[in-house]
Amino acid sequence: MRSRKNYKRIVVKVGASLFAGKKNKLDTSLAAGIACQISGLIKEGKEVVLVSSGAIALGMSILKLTSRPKELARLQAAAAIGQHELMHVYKLALKKYGLNCAQLLLTWDDFLGLRYHNAKNTLNTLLKLKCVPIINENDTVATEEIKLGDNDRLSALVSILVGADLLIILSDVDGLLDRNKKIIRRVTKITGEIKSLGCPTSKNTCVGGMVTKIEAARIAVEERVPCVIANGAKKGIIAKVAQDPFSEGTIFLPK
Ligand code: GLU
């Protein structure tokens, strides 16, 4: 196991399902908890990059839609309506701890060539400024994550881009479950058996599910970034996993 002090730069991915509260009401109090934990980590000298979904979920709430639109253009419109609201929620939550945040809307094409270097330089500068970068897919021009990803794979690409020590994917499940619904604590090799444990989500507000989380973990560990899938609804989960990535959920380890 790597020593604690090595987990300095951490990418945290927040899934859209976490923003969907009971009866399709949005649970924005989630942002308050996230901000509190991020502030604690920054005080300890860690650097945190947030990859957050929720634009479509918030857009749906503003438009009073109870089920996820089927048409792609409507999903993109909902994302455009919800994205600035999502940032507003995070901005207010982080401000309470004296932290600034920055919005970065990326697409998969931005992880190639000159764009990759530009994104990397911006992110590194924001971290030096002790600002919290908040990344989402640019849903107006790209649709990979809207269609099936919920930003899982985007978060893996981001963790590689920033040279993260740890990727934490927060969802509404406790981790990867085996066929007896028992949590698998440690994955050292992503075999066909592990992949077969993934199943898409059945929620009507979001996409993704365990399939894309396992794929994100595969992308991350191949580039030597350990990845933890944990339940974002648990109190203090980010702080706990950042201190000890073996303490909660499922950890995927690089070779
Ligand atoms: N970019 C999307 C969002 O923020 C990803 C999640 C989704 O498709 O629901 O909502």
Side-chain angles (χ1 to χ4, degrees):
M1 178 184 159
R2 290 149 60 129
S3 69
R4 283 181 186 188
K5 66 177 185 325
N6 284 341
Y7 300 100
K8 179 177 160 69
R9 188 168 280 197
I10 299 165
V11 173
V12 180
K13 187 253 158 175
V14 178
S17 60
L18 288 167
F19 273 102
K22 287 184 189 105
K23 293 185 184 165
N24 283 317
K25 281 237 167 83
L26 276 161
D27 180 13
T28 46
S29 64
L30 174 81
I34 292 172
C36 174
Q37 295 174 74
I38 290 180
S39 137
L41 293 177
I42 291 176
K43 275 194 195 128
E44 285 172 24
K46 295 188 189 288
E47 297 168 323
V48 184
V49 175
L50 202 58
V51 176
S52 181
S53 304
I56 293 178
L58 276 164
M60 281 174 55
S61 161
I62 292 165
L63 293 168
K64 301 195 177 15
L65 303 178
T66 49
S67 62
R68 193 175 163 95
K70 299 262 179 297
E71 199 190 316
L72 201 53
R74 283 190 182 265
L75 283 171
Q76 290 172 292
I81 292 167
Q83 176 60 29
H84 65 95
E85 187 64 24
L86 181 67
M87 287 308 298
H88 182 69
V89 168
Y90 277 125
K91 181 183 148 185
L92 293 184
L94 287 162
K95 210 173 164 194
K96 280 200 176 149
Y97 299 92
L99 291 169
N100 290 318
C101 60
Q103 171 183 266
L104 289 88
L105 299 177
L106 300 177
T107 70
W108 289 21
D109 294 343
D110 298 328
F111 293 86
L112 301 167
L114 183 63
R115 287 181 177 209
Y116 179 91
H117 292 285
N118 283 333
K120 189 175 177 153
N121 287 340
T122 307
L123 274 160
N124 281 331
T125 308
L126 288 167
L127 290 172
K128 267 192 210 135
L129 292 168
K130 295 208 186 311
C131 181
V132 182
I134 303 179
I135 300 174
N136 198 347
E137 184 181 49
N138 187 342
D139 293 325
T140 304
V141 297
T143 55
E144 280 87 353
E145 299 296 340
I146 286 187
K147 281 188 195 148
L148 43 94
D150 187 32
N151 286 340
D152 290 327
R153 287 164 302 169
L154 185 75
S155 70
L157 296 179
V158 168
S159 70
I160 297 164
L161 178 88
V162 298
D165 300 303
L166 183 65
L167 166 64
I168 305 173
I169 297 182
L170 296 179
S171 182
D172 56 355
V173 290
D174 288 339
L176 180 64
L177 305 180
D178 67 16
R179 300 206 186 278
N180 300 318
K181 303 274 172 246
K182 200 169 164 275
I183 188 156
I184 299 173
R185 300 311 304 266
R186 204 178 280 211
V187 175
T188 47
K189 195 169 178 208
I190 302 178
T191 58
E193 169 65 12
I194 292 291
K195 281 187 194 158
S196 72
L197 296 172
C199 54
T201 182
S202 57
K203 293 249 162 61
N204 71 355
T205 49
C206 55
V207 287
M210 201 44 83
V211 177
T212 52
K213 285 173 187 53
I214 296 171
E215 176 59 9
R218 187 195 62 75
I219 296 169
V221 296
E222 261 181 23
E223 296 297 325
R224 308 206 56 75
V225 181
C227 171
V228 175
I229 298 173
N231 194 335
K234 284 193 180 168
K235 212 167 169 239
I237 187 81
I238 302 174
K240 195 170 175 199
V241 175
Q243 293 308 332
D244 179 2
F246 293 81
S247 61
E248 284 280 344
T250 303
I251 184 161
F252 291 77
L253 293 162
K255 270 188 203 143

